[in-house]
Amino acid sequence: MKLLLKAINMIRECDPKAFWMRIFYVIVLSLLPLLNLYILKLLVDTVTTGNLPVMGGVEMNAYILLGCFCIIFLLDRLVNVCNGVNNDVMQQRLVDYLSDRMQRQSARLDMAYYDNPEYHDTYHRAQQEASYRPLQVLSGFMGLLSSVITISGIVVMLCTASVWIIVVMIVAVIPSFVVRIIKARKLYAFRRGNTQSYRRTSYYTALLGGRDFAKEMRTFGLAPHFQEKFVSVRRTLVRDILKISRKLAVYDSVCAVVETAALFAVTMFLIISTTNGDITIGSFVMLFEAFRKGQSQLSTLVSSISGLYDNKLFIGNLFEFLDLTPSIENPENPIPFPEKVETVEFRDITFRYPKMERDVLSHYNLVAHAGEITQIEGENGFGKTTLLKLLLRLYDTDEGAVLVNGVDVRQYELTELRRGIAAIFQDYVRFFCTAEENIAFGDIQHYDPERVRYVASLTGADSYIERLPKGYDTMLGRLFDGGEDLSMGQWQRVALARQLYSDAPVLIFDEPTAWMDVPSRDKFYNTLQMLKEQGKVIILIKHV
């Protein structure tokens, strides 16, 4: 219950006005059908007996009653229309709210989470269900409220005939309630237990349809192979879930027989009572419709309760993700990051990635000084890129310390630390934005178009950006309309310009010339010498 209330409160925070309007509409829509049932009884009795009922001191003839019946019908339709618009508003607000929460949460979590398959399972479950589960919780609560109000009125009506009708109506729905709870538990257990299988289907879909994979998928003819894998996983999932569905369908059929028997028994009782003159024809119509509506509302009540139970299980996935906490956080009393960095030191560093059995770095030592180019060379897997990640505190060391000006990086505020260290990774990101944005992302809070062009000239990126259809305003990449694609070497020079735009005192280059031609490399090393003379701490990572 705590999780459900937490979800309801989250929806209320999205749009309080729409939330309370939803409750108002539900109450109105629950009362109007009851009022119409009573008006229908009076109308039938008036037509069949000629007796005119008196309401509020006014004698009601058939035409007035018919008018009231139609007005209530119209009001019900109009309120439903307003409720539909209000639901659309809430849906959009909720999507935006949850997207914001999940994006912020993803951005604050440590890199270590991305190395953990369990994290990807948690994120997948949350992502799959975040857009609709909380609203389903609200719908379940509203359905529960609506059913309780309507059933209360129906119980009052049915009591005029016999209390046993109410007992039969309630007992007939119990088997259906039990079956739905069992179904909710089985489906939840199945989906949670097969999260990785669902993630595999998403991965295979990305391979078959993603642009980044298209070249090699076609070059090596891999599409049939991964299509077969996709079909194999889906076949297993479908087989297992249909097995559960068919088994529960048998129980649902038994429940339908029980409810039909209850309808038959109550209808026979009402026919006999009407034939004996115990109730009027109008009362027969009202009670018959009340019983049918009661059955329907009890079914809705069961659906709402079982749906809430079902959503309680699944909504836990969302909050499980939102409740994750990063282990790398700001110190309580951070030290200001220095404007001038003299040294960067890796002192007796030992580190292994989460759930790995061997150390990537073991008692490693290195000191880089300002005004020098410090090269780190090694074979693949040596741990060169890992040093960069430790310096940026994307991970923390298991042993030893990373020091800037003799101060442990864990003493600095994270944003200041990362603003003071500009890095280009060997797997740099190609942002499908304008060329100017791609470069200005190096320090997005301090946009300066003149500096964008200056750093582009330092890396040679200006030579081809200025020839693009819209120059620096040209969209890069072919993902969106009007985009212009670049070669890998051109993309790399854009990434270098992004790094230099930050004007950070510490510069880390991880294989910065891997995609460059000879003239571009010469220009890069000339720029490197200029940065060295400016007193920057420069670390150059290279393969051997």
Side-chain angles (χ1 to χ4, degrees):
M1 192 65 179
K2 184 178 178 181
L3 278 177
L4 296 175
L5 293 176
K6 193 175 179 180
I8 289 291
N9 187 56
M10 183 172 64
I11 296 168
R12 182 187 59 79
E13 290 175 356
C14 294
D15 192 329
K17 181 181 176 181
F19 176 81
W20 291 113
M21 286 303 297
R22 176 75 183 274
I23 293 178
F24 171 75
Y25 289 139
V26 164
I27 293 173
V28 172
L29 290 171
S30 302
L31 294 174
L32 288 177
L34 296 176
L35 183 57
N36 244 6
L37 266 181
Y38 183 66
I39 296 294
L40 179 62
K41 169 197 174 325
L42 296 178
L43 180 60
V44 172
D45 281 342
T46 300
V47 172
T48 56
T49 67
N51 296 327
L52 302 181
V54 178
M55 296 179 64
V58 178
E59 193 172 59
M60 311 292 288
N61 59 38
Y63 301 106
I64 295 175
L65 289 170
L66 177 60
C68 292
F69 187 88
C70 292
I71 289 171
I72 294 171
F73 176 81
L74 176 62
L75 185 60
D76 182 83
R77 292 295 301 271
L78 293 176
V79 173
N80 263 306
V81 170
C82 295
N83 188 42
V85 173
N86 191 68
N87 285 344
D88 290 340
V89 171
M90 290 196 68
Q91 176 73 34
Q92 299 308 315
R93 293 278 192 275
L94 184 63
V95 168
D96 291 343
Y97 177 83
L98 287 175
S99 295
D100 180 70
R101 287 283 302 271
M102 292 189 67
Q103 288 165 5
R104 289 176 182 272
Q105 175 71 340
S106 296
R108 69 187 282 265
L109 293 176
D110 309 332
M111 288 291 294
Y113 279 106
Y114 293 90
D115 300 321
N116 186 349
E118 293 177 4
Y119 164 79
H120 293 286
D121 288 349
T122 301
Y123 180 69
H124 175 82
R125 289 192 293 264
Q127 188 181 45
Q128 292 293 102
E129 296 150 16
S131 62
Y132 68 93
R133 285 290 179 184
L135 200 62
Q136 281 191 353
V137 170
L138 178 64
S139 297
F141 266 116
M142 294 301 102
L144 190 63
L145 175 62
S146 174
S147 297
V148 168
I149 293 172
T150 304
I151 289 170
S152 299
I154 287 172
V155 166
V156 172
M157 291 180 181
L158 293 177
C159 277
T160 61
S162 173
V163 176
W164 286 107
I165 296 179
I166 301 168
V167 174
V168 170
M169 184 175 69
I170 294 173
V171 170
V173 83
I174 291 176
S176 179
F177 174 73
V178 174
V179 169
R180 294 192 186 197
I181 292 295
I182 293 173
K183 186 174 184 178
R185 294 183 65 177
K186 284 186 175 293
L187 289 178
Y188 174 76
F190 174 80
R191 289 173 186 165
R192 187 174 182 91
N194 288 278
T195 299
Q196 289 217 5
S197 294
Y198 281 109
R199 281 206 296 117
R200 284 183 186 278
T201 61
S202 298
Y203 174 63
Y204 297 146
T205 300
L207 287 176
L208 291 163
R211 185 179 188 277
D212 290 342
F213 311 107
K215 293 190 295 292
E216 291 202 29
M217 291 292 288
R218 285 156 177 74
T219 299
F220 297 109
L222 297 176
H225 173 75
F226 284 107
Q227 284 172 341
E228 185 178 340
K229 281 181 170 292
F230 176 86
V231 169
S232 176
V233 175
R234 281 295 304 167
R235 186 183 293 119
T236 302
L237 287 172
V238 170
R239 181 197 65 209
D240 292 344
I241 201 167
L242 288 181
K243 184 178 179 181
I244 295 172
S245 180
R246 290 189 184 103
K247 184 175 181 180
L248 292 172
V250 175
Y251 300 147
D252 282 330
S253 300
V254 173
C255 295
V257 171
V258 172
E259 291 173 15
T260 303
L263 175 63
F264 177 80
V266 169
T267 305
M268 284 298 297
F269 173 79
L270 292 176
I271 291 173
I272 294 170
S273 297
T274 306
T275 303
N276 293 337
D278 296 332
I279 59 175
T280 65
I281 296 176
S283 295
F284 171 83
V285 173
M286 181 187 74
L287 293 171
F288 177 75
E289 288 298 323
F291 180 77
R292 287 191 62 193
K293 193 166 188 63
Q295 277 193 310
S296 174
Q297 286 298 317
L298 279 174
S299 180
T300 301
L301 183 67
V302 168
S303 295
S304 297
I305 294 174
S306 61
L308 285 171
Y309 179 78
D310 180 26
N311 285 304
K312 179 187 80 71
L313 296 174
F314 282 101
I315 205 73
N317 297 328
L318 173 61
F319 289 115
E320 181 184 356
F321 173 72
L322 294 177
D323 290 340
L324 293 175
T325 56
S327 59
I328 297 178
E329 296 185 296
N330 289 314
E332 291 186 8
N333 300 300
I335 298 173
F337 193 83
E339 293 185 9
K340 174 64 176 175
V341 175
E342 297 294 341
T343 61
V344 170
E345 180 181 359
F346 298 91
R347 183 182 296 174
D348 200 31
I349 298 295
T350 296
F351 174 77
R352 71 173 58 181
Y353 287 103
K355 298 195 174 183
M356 281 188 63
E357 297 181 356
R358 64 176 183 85
D359 293 333
V360 178
L361 295 165
S362 181
H363 303 290
Y364 182 84
N365 292 277
L366 176 74
V367 180
H369 297 275
E372 297 180 359
I373 298 176
T374 304
Q375 294 196 42
I376 303 176
E377 297 183 353
E379 299 176 351
N380 291 330
F382 173 73
K384 304 181 296 299
T385 302
T386 301
L387 290 170
L388 169 54
K389 295 175 182 177
L390 294 174
L391 177 57
L392 288 165
R393 280 203 77 198
L394 300 178
Y395 298 87
D396 277 337
T397 61
D398 295 323
E399 297 178 26
V402 182
L403 311 172
V404 173
N405 281 1
V407 177
D408 194 316
V409 292
R410 287 170 286 201
Q411 298 300 311
Y412 295 120
E413 199 271 332
L414 281 170
T415 303
E416 284 193 16
L417 171 69
R418 291 167 183 172
R419 190 176 293 147
I421 302 169
I424 178 173
F425 294 89
Q426 56 184 324
D427 55 346
Y428 55 85
V429 176
R430 293 174 290 167
F431 293 102
F432 297 138
C433 304
T434 66
E436 189 157 60
E437 287 175 315
N438 261 277
I439 296 173
F441 285 157
D443 189 359
I444 193 62
Q445 295 180 342
H446 301 92
Y447 171 66
D448 181 355
E450 291 185 6
R451 181 161 181 79
V452 168
R453 285 150 182 78
Y454 170 67
V455 296
S457 69
L458 293 180
T459 65
D462 61 329
S463 63
Y464 53 86
I465 290 177
E466 291 172 356
R467 296 198 303 269
L468 294 173
K470 296 181 181 179
Y472 285 86
D473 290 328
T474 303
M475 186 75 70
L476 300 186
R478 297 292 296 167
L479 189 62
F480 303 109
D481 289 341
E484 292 285 330
D485 210 353
L486 305 178
S487 69
M488 292 302 294
Q490 289 173 327
W491 273 112
Q492 190 165 41
R493 279 180 276 171
V494 170
L496 281 167
R498 178 165 60 244
Q499 178 190 22
L500 299 182
Y501 181 85
S502 68
D503 198 27
V506 180
L507 299 173
I508 315 292
F509 300 92
D510 190 356
E511 289 295 328
T513 61
W515 297 95
M516 291 185 187
D517 53 28
V518 174
S520 299
R521 289 181 186 177
D522 292 341
K523 188 171 186 63
F524 168 73
Y525 284 113
N526 289 334
T527 299
L528 210 58
Q529 289 300 318
M530 182 194 72
L531 295 170
K532 171 184 171 183
E533 292 168 4
Q534 292 178 1
K536 305 277 190 183
V537 175
I538 299 171
I539 299 177
L540 182 61
I541 297 174
K542 299 178 67 177
H543 292 304
V544 293

